[in-house]
Amino acid sequence: MTSGSMRRIQERILGSRRSGVYSSGGDIWLLGVCHKISQDQASDDAVTSDSVAGFELDFSSRILMTYRKGFNGIQDSKYTSDVNWGCMLRSSQMLVAQALLFHRLGRSWRKTSQKPLDKEYVEILHLFGDLETSAFSIHNLLQAGRPYDLAAGSWVGPYAICRSWETLVRLKRETPTPQDQQLPMAIYIVSGDEDGERGGAPVLCIDVASRHCFQFSKGQLDWTPILLLVPLVLGLEKINPRYIPSLRATFTFPQSLGILGGKAGASTYIVGVQDENAFYLDPHEVQQVVNIDKDDLEADTSSYHCNVIRHIPLESIDPSLAIGFYCRDKDDFDDFCYRASKLAGDSYGAPLFTVAETHSSNSVRHGNALNDGSRLAVDNADVHVPDEEGAQEDDWQLL
């Protein structure tokens, strides 16, 4: 498939119109950081301009993973590109890359054109190269995800990709080679059922999170940094609107890592919200493979960032998605639990997930989960084929 053909298909699914939505709307929350955009909160045009520029720099500093072509064949297959099927894998790579970026360089880090580059930043990009020797390559992710039907050439849903990351991280922890142990945090998949969501909100158990941290440190520490992934199915054909306020509010959490989601068969990485719109990074651009050496501080990393700001109405997101959070330490986790419990308590009976002290505890920290049939689907129902004819160009927009 030519690059032009791929672009036309992408535009049919994701749209390509430009819009000034963020300059005329309310404040933007981007992965836990508020960018004051509202005209009524700005003293003059210069302040508004600076606020927009700050948002654009923050957005473009997020690590972008896209389709690549020209890498070594995956496993026993002949696939040397993930075009048309790897968007969920790439979206998940972006979320984990942001967790590493926040862990190693902090939320305030911004990309720069100055050389030499930050060593920690280059080392993170190296982990996601398209090689079997790169810890978090799609090659290794597919291998770890075999029990969840991950395979080259096949599309996969959020639940399966979250479980695949859990397996991959465990395998890397078990390896005797220290350089392969590259995720410096525990990982906890908050899910209500081993085969996906069958009804009700999943429960985040504090004692389970603590156990993950203790096991991650091999019994040396009671708490470590932790990555939380929450796969959800929030409707049948579309998101139940009762969940939208809570989804929007998760981006105000300092621990926010955004959402793996998008349209059916067209996964993206959603990183921010403004009013009723969500901003996202799009993995569907096809780029030549670029593998960055971990010691190359002069590397060209431009293909790992994007200045094109796209948005989608929150109500248009596919109901099958996964939310990510990163907690640096116990205090940060406690703060997250407080915010999550308050959010669930304010959800009018439709929490995204609940928080409890223990797995067997009935003392959930807020009201019961909504049982409205929204979470009837399991992960097999998440596997979609892009409907090119049915795509609505008005839903996805470029800024």
PDB file of all heavy atoms in Angstrom, residues 68-82 85 90 129-134 137-140 142 152 288-291:
ATOM      1  N   ARG A  68       5.363   1.587  11.505  1.00  0.00           N
ATOM      2  CA  ARG A  68       6.699   1.633  10.911  1.00  0.00           C
ATOM      3  C   ARG A  68       6.800   0.567   9.815  1.00  0.00           C
ATOM      4  O   ARG A  68       6.097  -0.449   9.843  1.00  0.00           O
ATOM      5  CB  ARG A  68       7.772   1.359  11.968  1.00  0.00           C
ATOM      6  CG  ARG A  68       7.846   2.391  13.088  1.00  0.00           C
ATOM      7  CD  ARG A  68       8.522   3.676  12.660  1.00  0.00           C
ATOM      8  NE  ARG A  68       8.617   4.633  13.761  1.00  0.00           N
ATOM      9  CZ  ARG A  68       9.280   5.779  13.701  1.00  0.00           C
ATOM     10  NH1 ARG A  68       9.936   6.110  12.586  1.00  0.00           N
ATOM     11  NH2 ARG A  68       9.309   6.595  14.742  1.00  0.00           N
ATOM     12  N   LYS A  69       7.675   0.814   8.883  1.00  0.00           N
ATOM     13  CA  LYS A  69       7.921  -0.158   7.821  1.00  0.00           C
ATOM     14  C   LYS A  69       9.427  -0.367   7.682  1.00  0.00           C
ATOM     15  O   LYS A  69      10.216   0.531   7.964  1.00  0.00           O
ATOM     16  CB  LYS A  69       7.343   0.322   6.496  1.00  0.00           C
ATOM     17  CG  LYS A  69       7.913   1.647   5.998  1.00  0.00           C
ATOM     18  CD  LYS A  69       7.268   2.068   4.681  1.00  0.00           C
ATOM     19  CE  LYS A  69       7.851   3.406   4.183  1.00  0.00           C
ATOM     20  NZ  LYS A  69       7.253   3.823   2.902  1.00  0.00           N
ATOM     21  N   GLY A  70       9.811  -1.582   7.283  1.00  0.00           N
ATOM     22  CA  GLY A  70      11.217  -1.870   7.046  1.00  0.00           C
ATOM     23  C   GLY A  70      11.946  -2.506   8.202  1.00  0.00           C
ATOM     24  O   GLY A  70      13.178  -2.572   8.188  1.00  0.00           O
ATOM     25  N   PHE A  71      11.209  -3.005   9.228  1.00  0.00           N
ATOM     26  CA  PHE A  71      11.925  -3.660  10.318  1.00  0.00           C
ATOM     27  C   PHE A  71      12.082  -5.160  10.027  1.00  0.00           C
ATOM     28  O   PHE A  71      11.505  -5.695   9.068  1.00  0.00           O
ATOM     29  CB  PHE A  71      11.232  -3.438  11.669  1.00  0.00           C
ATOM     30  CG  PHE A  71       9.746  -3.698  11.699  1.00  0.00           C
ATOM     31  CD1 PHE A  71       9.241  -4.987  11.591  1.00  0.00           C
ATOM     32  CD2 PHE A  71       8.853  -2.643  11.869  1.00  0.00           C
ATOM     33  CE1 PHE A  71       7.878  -5.237  11.643  1.00  0.00           C
ATOM     34  CE2 PHE A  71       7.480  -2.870  11.923  1.00  0.00           C
ATOM     35  CZ  PHE A  71       6.995  -4.175  11.808  1.00  0.00           C
ATOM     36  N   ASN A  72      12.865  -5.843  10.839  1.00  0.00           N
ATOM     37  CA  ASN A  72      13.063  -7.279  10.671  1.00  0.00           C
ATOM     38  C   ASN A  72      11.746  -8.012  10.887  1.00  0.00           C
ATOM     39  O   ASN A  72      10.901  -7.588  11.684  1.00  0.00           O
ATOM     40  CB  ASN A  72      14.106  -7.802  11.657  1.00  0.00           C
ATOM     41  CG  ASN A  72      15.493  -7.265  11.367  1.00  0.00           C
ATOM     42  OD1 ASN A  72      15.803  -6.914  10.232  1.00  0.00           O
ATOM     43  ND2 ASN A  72      16.332  -7.207  12.395  1.00  0.00           N
ATOM     44  N   GLY A  73      11.574  -9.132  10.194  1.00  0.00           N
ATOM     45  CA  GLY A  73      10.338  -9.891  10.290  1.00  0.00           C
ATOM     46  C   GLY A  73       9.990 -10.250  11.726  1.00  0.00           C
ATOM     47  O   GLY A  73      10.856 -10.552  12.547  1.00  0.00           O
ATOM     48  N   ILE A  74       8.699 -10.221  12.031  1.00  0.00           N
ATOM     49  CA  ILE A  74       8.218 -10.518  13.373  1.00  0.00           C
ATOM     50  C   ILE A  74       8.041 -12.020  13.535  1.00  0.00           C
ATOM     51  O   ILE A  74       7.276 -12.651  12.794  1.00  0.00           O
ATOM     52  CB  ILE A  74       6.883  -9.799  13.646  1.00  0.00           C
ATOM     53  CG1 ILE A  74       7.088  -8.271  13.628  1.00  0.00           C
ATOM     54  CG2 ILE A  74       6.302 -10.226  14.986  1.00  0.00           C
ATOM     55  CD1 ILE A  74       5.810  -7.485  13.762  1.00  0.00           C
ATOM     56  N   GLN A  75       8.762 -12.582  14.490  1.00  0.00           N
ATOM     57  CA  GLN A  75       8.685 -14.013  14.779  1.00  0.00           C
ATOM     58  C   GLN A  75       8.862 -14.812  13.482  1.00  0.00           C
ATOM     59  O   GLN A  75       9.803 -14.584  12.732  1.00  0.00           O
ATOM     60  CB  GLN A  75       7.361 -14.305  15.491  1.00  0.00           C
ATOM     61  CG  GLN A  75       7.241 -13.562  16.823  1.00  0.00           C
ATOM     62  CD  GLN A  75       5.834 -13.492  17.354  1.00  0.00           C
ATOM     63  OE1 GLN A  75       4.895 -14.055  16.811  1.00  0.00           O
ATOM     64  NE2 GLN A  75       5.660 -12.767  18.445  1.00  0.00           N
ATOM     65  N   ASP A  76       7.964 -15.746  13.229  1.00  0.00           N
ATOM     66  CA  ASP A  76       8.076 -16.577  12.035  1.00  0.00           C
ATOM     67  C   ASP A  76       7.297 -16.006  10.846  1.00  0.00           C
ATOM     68  O   ASP A  76       7.222 -16.639   9.793  1.00  0.00           O
ATOM     69  CB  ASP A  76       7.562 -17.994  12.333  1.00  0.00           C
ATOM     70  CG  ASP A  76       8.387 -18.683  13.407  1.00  0.00           C
ATOM     71  OD1 ASP A  76       9.598 -18.390  13.483  1.00  0.00           O
ATOM     72  OD2 ASP A  76       7.826 -19.490  14.156  1.00  0.00           O
ATOM     73  N   SER A  77       6.734 -14.841  11.016  1.00  0.00           N
ATOM     74  CA  SER A  77       5.926 -14.249   9.951  1.00  0.00           C
ATOM     75  C   SER A  77       6.818 -13.498   8.966  1.00  0.00           C
ATOM     76  O   SER A  77       8.015 -13.333   9.175  1.00  0.00           O
ATOM     77  CB  SER A  77       4.899 -13.281  10.544  1.00  0.00           C
ATOM     78  OG  SER A  77       5.526 -12.059  10.913  1.00  0.00           O
ATOM     79  N   LYS A  78       6.197 -13.033   7.906  1.00  0.00           N
ATOM     80  CA  LYS A  78       6.899 -12.229   6.913  1.00  0.00           C
ATOM     81  C   LYS A  78       6.602 -10.745   7.084  1.00  0.00           C
ATOM     82  O   LYS A  78       6.949  -9.933   6.224  1.00  0.00           O
ATOM     83  CB  LYS A  78       6.515 -12.688   5.507  1.00  0.00           C
ATOM     84  CG  LYS A  78       6.929 -14.124   5.190  1.00  0.00           C
ATOM     85  CD  LYS A  78       6.544 -14.514   3.778  1.00  0.00           C
ATOM     86  CE  LYS A  78       6.959 -15.949   3.468  1.00  0.00           C
ATOM     87  NZ  LYS A  78       6.574 -16.342   2.088  1.00  0.00           N
ATOM     88  N   TYR A  79       5.953 -10.384   8.193  1.00  0.00           N
ATOM     89  CA  TYR A  79       5.588  -8.992   8.411  1.00  0.00           C
ATOM     90  C   TYR A  79       6.818  -8.148   8.735  1.00  0.00           C
ATOM     91  O   TYR A  79       7.508  -8.381   9.728  1.00  0.00           O
ATOM     92  CB  TYR A  79       4.574  -8.863   9.545  1.00  0.00           C
ATOM     93  CG  TYR A  79       3.169  -9.264   9.149  1.00  0.00           C
ATOM     94  CD1 TYR A  79       2.692 -10.538   9.429  1.00  0.00           C
ATOM     95  CD2 TYR A  79       2.327  -8.362   8.506  1.00  0.00           C
ATOM     96  CE1 TYR A  79       1.410 -10.919   9.070  1.00  0.00           C
ATOM     97  CE2 TYR A  79       1.043  -8.723   8.147  1.00  0.00           C
ATOM     98  CZ  TYR A  79       0.587 -10.005   8.432  1.00  0.00           C
ATOM     99  OH  TYR A  79      -0.694 -10.373   8.071  1.00  0.00           O
ATOM    100  N   THR A  80       7.075  -7.157   7.903  1.00  0.00           N
ATOM    101  CA  THR A  80       8.143  -6.184   8.156  1.00  0.00           C
ATOM    102  C   THR A  80       7.560  -4.790   8.355  1.00  0.00           C
ATOM    103  O   THR A  80       8.275  -3.795   8.318  1.00  0.00           O
ATOM    104  CB  THR A  80       9.146  -6.167   6.986  1.00  0.00           C
ATOM    105  OG1 THR A  80       8.453  -5.825   5.777  1.00  0.00           O
ATOM    106  CG2 THR A  80       9.814  -7.523   6.831  1.00  0.00           C
ATOM    107  N   SER A  81       6.262  -4.736   8.570  1.00  0.00           N
ATOM    108  CA  SER A  81       5.548  -3.492   8.824  1.00  0.00           C
ATOM    109  C   SER A  81       4.295  -3.826   9.619  1.00  0.00           C
ATOM    110  O   SER A  81       3.761  -4.936   9.519  1.00  0.00           O
ATOM    111  CB  SER A  81       5.156  -2.802   7.509  1.00  0.00           C
ATOM    112  OG  SER A  81       4.259  -1.729   7.752  1.00  0.00           O
ATOM    113  N   ASP A  82       3.824  -2.874  10.429  1.00  0.00           N
ATOM    114  CA  ASP A  82       2.585  -3.091  11.179  1.00  0.00           C
ATOM    115  C   ASP A  82       1.447  -2.214  10.642  1.00  0.00           C
ATOM    116  O   ASP A  82       0.457  -1.985  11.331  1.00  0.00           O
ATOM    117  CB  ASP A  82       2.800  -2.822  12.666  1.00  0.00           C
ATOM    118  CG  ASP A  82       3.228  -1.388  12.961  1.00  0.00           C
ATOM    119  OD1 ASP A  82       4.116  -0.874  12.254  1.00  0.00           O
ATOM    120  OD2 ASP A  82       2.700  -0.779  13.908  1.00  0.00           O
ATOM    121  N   TRP A  85      -2.673  -2.815  11.128  1.00  0.00           N
ATOM    122  CA  TRP A  85      -3.066  -3.701  12.217  1.00  0.00           C
ATOM    123  C   TRP A  85      -2.378  -3.389  13.551  1.00  0.00           C
ATOM    124  O   TRP A  85      -2.809  -3.882  14.593  1.00  0.00           O
ATOM    125  CB  TRP A  85      -2.770  -5.162  11.861  1.00  0.00           C
ATOM    126  CG  TRP A  85      -1.338  -5.458  11.488  1.00  0.00           C
ATOM    127  CD1 TRP A  85      -0.789  -5.429  10.249  1.00  0.00           C
ATOM    128  CD2 TRP A  85      -0.263  -5.809  12.385  1.00  0.00           C
ATOM    129  NE1 TRP A  85       0.552  -5.745  10.297  1.00  0.00           N
ATOM    130  CE2 TRP A  85       0.900  -5.995  11.586  1.00  0.00           C
ATOM    131  CE3 TRP A  85      -0.174  -6.010  13.757  1.00  0.00           C
ATOM    132  CZ2 TRP A  85       2.140  -6.351  12.142  1.00  0.00           C
ATOM    133  CZ3 TRP A  85       1.054  -6.365  14.314  1.00  0.00           C
ATOM    134  CH2 TRP A  85       2.189  -6.534  13.503  1.00  0.00           C
ATOM    135  N   ARG A  90       0.878   0.244  19.075  1.00  0.00           N
ATOM    136  CA  ARG A  90       1.572   1.532  19.108  1.00  0.00           C
ATOM    137  C   ARG A  90       0.964   2.464  20.155  1.00  0.00           C
ATOM    138  O   ARG A  90       1.686   3.182  20.860  1.00  0.00           O
ATOM    139  CB  ARG A  90       1.519   2.184  17.729  1.00  0.00           C
ATOM    140  CG  ARG A  90       2.206   1.389  16.628  1.00  0.00           C
ATOM    141  CD  ARG A  90       3.686   1.168  16.913  1.00  0.00           C
ATOM    142  NE  ARG A  90       4.351   0.506  15.776  1.00  0.00           N
ATOM    143  CZ  ARG A  90       5.635   0.196  15.754  1.00  0.00           C
ATOM    144  NH1 ARG A  90       6.407   0.459  16.790  1.00  0.00           N
ATOM    145  NH2 ARG A  90       6.166  -0.402  14.684  1.00  0.00           N
ATOM    146  N   GLY A 129      12.383   0.505  20.201  1.00  0.00           N
ATOM    147  CA  GLY A 129      12.815   0.259  18.837  1.00  0.00           C
ATOM    148  C   GLY A 129      12.161  -0.985  18.268  1.00  0.00           C
ATOM    149  O   GLY A 129      11.667  -1.852  19.000  1.00  0.00           O
ATOM    150  N   ASP A 130      12.148  -1.093  16.956  1.00  0.00           N
ATOM    151  CA  ASP A 130      11.493  -2.228  16.292  1.00  0.00           C
ATOM    152  C   ASP A 130      12.489  -3.359  16.057  1.00  0.00           C
ATOM    153  O   ASP A 130      12.760  -3.762  14.925  1.00  0.00           O
ATOM    154  CB  ASP A 130      10.861  -1.757  14.979  1.00  0.00           C
ATOM    155  CG  ASP A 130       9.718  -0.786  15.228  1.00  0.00           C
ATOM    156  OD1 ASP A 130       8.857  -1.093  16.076  1.00  0.00           O
ATOM    157  OD2 ASP A 130       9.694   0.290  14.597  1.00  0.00           O
ATOM    158  N   LEU A 131      13.027  -3.851  17.170  1.00  0.00           N
ATOM    159  CA  LEU A 131      13.994  -4.940  17.166  1.00  0.00           C
ATOM    160  C   LEU A 131      13.675  -5.892  18.312  1.00  0.00           C
ATOM    161  O   LEU A 131      13.172  -5.462  19.362  1.00  0.00           O
ATOM    162  CB  LEU A 131      15.422  -4.402  17.362  1.00  0.00           C
ATOM    163  CG  LEU A 131      16.017  -3.493  16.283  1.00  0.00           C
ATOM    164  CD1 LEU A 131      17.251  -2.800  16.841  1.00  0.00           C
ATOM    165  CD2 LEU A 131      16.380  -4.318  15.051  1.00  0.00           C
ATOM    166  N   GLU A 132      13.992  -7.148  18.153  1.00  0.00           N
ATOM    167  CA  GLU A 132      13.788  -8.091  19.246  1.00  0.00           C
ATOM    168  C   GLU A 132      14.661  -7.754  20.440  1.00  0.00           C
ATOM    169  O   GLU A 132      14.339  -8.116  21.579  1.00  0.00           O
ATOM    170  CB  GLU A 132      14.070  -9.519  18.765  1.00  0.00           C
ATOM    171  CG  GLU A 132      13.022 -10.049  17.793  1.00  0.00           C
ATOM    172  CD  GLU A 132      13.257 -11.505  17.438  1.00  0.00           C
ATOM    173  OE1 GLU A 132      14.202 -12.112  17.992  1.00  0.00           O
ATOM    174  OE2 GLU A 132      12.501 -12.032  16.610  1.00  0.00           O
ATOM    175  N   THR A 133      15.762  -7.077  20.207  1.00  0.00           N
ATOM    176  CA  THR A 133      16.661  -6.699  21.301  1.00  0.00           C
ATOM    177  C   THR A 133      16.184  -5.465  22.055  1.00  0.00           C
ATOM    178  O   THR A 133      16.755  -5.124  23.095  1.00  0.00           O
ATOM    179  CB  THR A 133      18.080  -6.450  20.762  1.00  0.00           C
ATOM    180  OG1 THR A 133      18.026  -5.491  19.695  1.00  0.00           O
ATOM    181  CG2 THR A 133      18.695  -7.738  20.247  1.00  0.00           C
ATOM    182  N   SER A 134      15.161  -4.769  21.550  1.00  0.00           N
ATOM    183  CA  SER A 134      14.567  -3.639  22.267  1.00  0.00           C
ATOM    184  C   SER A 134      13.486  -4.176  23.183  1.00  0.00           C
ATOM    185  O   SER A 134      12.567  -4.871  22.734  1.00  0.00           O
ATOM    186  CB  SER A 134      13.986  -2.624  21.283  1.00  0.00           C
ATOM    187  OG  SER A 134      15.001  -2.017  20.522  1.00  0.00           O
ATOM    188  N   SER A 137       9.674  -3.579  22.187  1.00  0.00           N
ATOM    189  CA  SER A 137       9.339  -3.563  20.764  1.00  0.00           C
ATOM    190  C   SER A 137       8.031  -4.306  20.539  1.00  0.00           C
ATOM    191  O   SER A 137       7.585  -5.104  21.373  1.00  0.00           O
ATOM    192  CB  SER A 137      10.451  -4.243  19.957  1.00  0.00           C
ATOM    193  OG  SER A 137      10.528  -5.631  20.292  1.00  0.00           O
ATOM    194  N   ILE A 138       7.401  -4.062  19.379  1.00  0.00           N
ATOM    195  CA  ILE A 138       6.181  -4.812  19.083  1.00  0.00           C
ATOM    196  C   ILE A 138       6.514  -6.291  18.893  1.00  0.00           C
ATOM    197  O   ILE A 138       5.651  -7.152  19.110  1.00  0.00           O
ATOM    198  CB  ILE A 138       5.420  -4.239  17.868  1.00  0.00           C
ATOM    199  CG1 ILE A 138       6.239  -4.334  16.584  1.00  0.00           C
ATOM    200  CG2 ILE A 138       5.003  -2.807  18.128  1.00  0.00           C
ATOM    201  CD1 ILE A 138       5.423  -3.982  15.355  1.00  0.00           C
ATOM    202  N   HIS A 139       7.743  -6.597  18.531  1.00  0.00           N
ATOM    203  CA  HIS A 139       8.165  -7.993  18.421  1.00  0.00           C
ATOM    204  C   HIS A 139       7.989  -8.708  19.770  1.00  0.00           C
ATOM    205  O   HIS A 139       7.384  -9.784  19.855  1.00  0.00           O
ATOM    206  CB  HIS A 139       9.629  -8.084  17.994  1.00  0.00           C
ATOM    207  CG  HIS A 139       9.933  -7.499  16.652  1.00  0.00           C
ATOM    208  ND1 HIS A 139       9.790  -6.147  16.382  1.00  0.00           N
ATOM    209  CD2 HIS A 139      10.371  -8.063  15.497  1.00  0.00           C
ATOM    210  CE1 HIS A 139      10.130  -5.918  15.125  1.00  0.00           C
ATOM    211  NE2 HIS A 139      10.489  -7.062  14.566  1.00  0.00           N
ATOM    212  N   ASN A 140       8.518  -8.095  20.822  1.00  0.00           N
ATOM    213  CA  ASN A 140       8.439  -8.706  22.149  1.00  0.00           C
ATOM    214  C   ASN A 140       7.038  -8.636  22.735  1.00  0.00           C
ATOM    215  O   ASN A 140       6.603  -9.541  23.459  1.00  0.00           O
ATOM    216  CB  ASN A 140       9.439  -8.036  23.090  1.00  0.00           C
ATOM    217  CG  ASN A 140      10.873  -8.407  22.765  1.00  0.00           C
ATOM    218  OD1 ASN A 140      11.153  -9.530  22.354  1.00  0.00           O
ATOM    219  ND2 ASN A 140      11.793  -7.471  22.921  1.00  0.00           N
ATOM    220  N   LEU A 142       4.211  -8.776  21.041  1.00  0.00           N
ATOM    221  CA  LEU A 142       3.431  -9.831  20.395  1.00  0.00           C
ATOM    222  C   LEU A 142       3.772 -11.209  20.966  1.00  0.00           C
ATOM    223  O   LEU A 142       2.887 -12.048  21.169  1.00  0.00           O
ATOM    224  CB  LEU A 142       3.676  -9.818  18.888  1.00  0.00           C
ATOM    225  CG  LEU A 142       3.041  -8.659  18.110  1.00  0.00           C
ATOM    226  CD1 LEU A 142       3.597  -8.599  16.697  1.00  0.00           C
ATOM    227  CD2 LEU A 142       1.520  -8.807  18.078  1.00  0.00           C
ATOM    228  N   ALA A 152       0.962 -11.075  14.735  1.00  0.00           N
ATOM    229  CA  ALA A 152       1.253 -10.130  13.655  1.00  0.00           C
ATOM    230  C   ALA A 152       0.143 -10.203  12.615  1.00  0.00           C
ATOM    231  O   ALA A 152      -0.277 -11.282  12.208  1.00  0.00           O
ATOM    232  CB  ALA A 152       2.593 -10.467  13.020  1.00  0.00           C
ATOM    233  N   GLN A 288       9.298   5.242   8.158  1.00  0.00           N
ATOM    234  CA  GLN A 288      10.380   4.268   8.043  1.00  0.00           C
ATOM    235  C   GLN A 288      10.893   3.926   9.431  1.00  0.00           C
ATOM    236  O   GLN A 288      10.899   4.768  10.331  1.00  0.00           O
ATOM    237  CB  GLN A 288      11.511   4.842   7.182  1.00  0.00           C
ATOM    238  CG  GLN A 288      12.586   3.840   6.791  1.00  0.00           C
ATOM    239  CD  GLN A 288      12.081   2.769   5.839  1.00  0.00           C
ATOM    240  OE1 GLN A 288      11.195   3.027   5.022  1.00  0.00           O
ATOM    241  NE2 GLN A 288      12.653   1.570   5.934  1.00  0.00           N
ATOM    242  N   VAL A 289      11.321   2.687   9.613  1.00  0.00           N
ATOM    243  CA  VAL A 289      11.817   2.266  10.908  1.00  0.00           C
ATOM    244  C   VAL A 289      13.025   3.113  11.331  1.00  0.00           C
ATOM    245  O   VAL A 289      13.888   3.440  10.516  1.00  0.00           O
ATOM    246  CB  VAL A 289      12.186   0.764  10.880  1.00  0.00           C
ATOM    247  CG1 VAL A 289      13.328   0.487   9.915  1.00  0.00           C
ATOM    248  CG2 VAL A 289      12.527   0.264  12.273  1.00  0.00           C
ATOM    249  N   VAL A 290      13.049   3.502  12.607  1.00  0.00           N
ATOM    250  CA  VAL A 290      14.158   4.256  13.184  1.00  0.00           C
ATOM    251  C   VAL A 290      14.490   3.618  14.528  1.00  0.00           C
ATOM    252  O   VAL A 290      13.672   3.642  15.450  1.00  0.00           O
ATOM    253  CB  VAL A 290      13.799   5.739  13.393  1.00  0.00           C
ATOM    254  CG1 VAL A 290      14.925   6.453  14.132  1.00  0.00           C
ATOM    255  CG2 VAL A 290      13.516   6.426  12.067  1.00  0.00           C
ATOM    256  N   ASN A 291      15.639   3.027  14.643  1.00  0.00           N
ATOM    257  CA  ASN A 291      16.076   2.423  15.890  1.00  0.00           C
ATOM    258  C   ASN A 291      17.206   3.261  16.479  1.00  0.00           C
ATOM    259  O   ASN A 291      18.261   3.423  15.866  1.00  0.00           O
ATOM    260  CB  ASN A 291      16.538   0.985  15.664  1.00  0.00           C
ATOM    261  CG  ASN A 291      15.388   0.083  15.243  1.00  0.00           C
ATOM    262  OD1 ASN A 291      14.341   0.077  15.883  1.00  0.00           O
ATOM    263  ND2 ASN A 291      15.571  -0.664  14.166  1.00  0.00           N
TER     264      ASN A 291
END
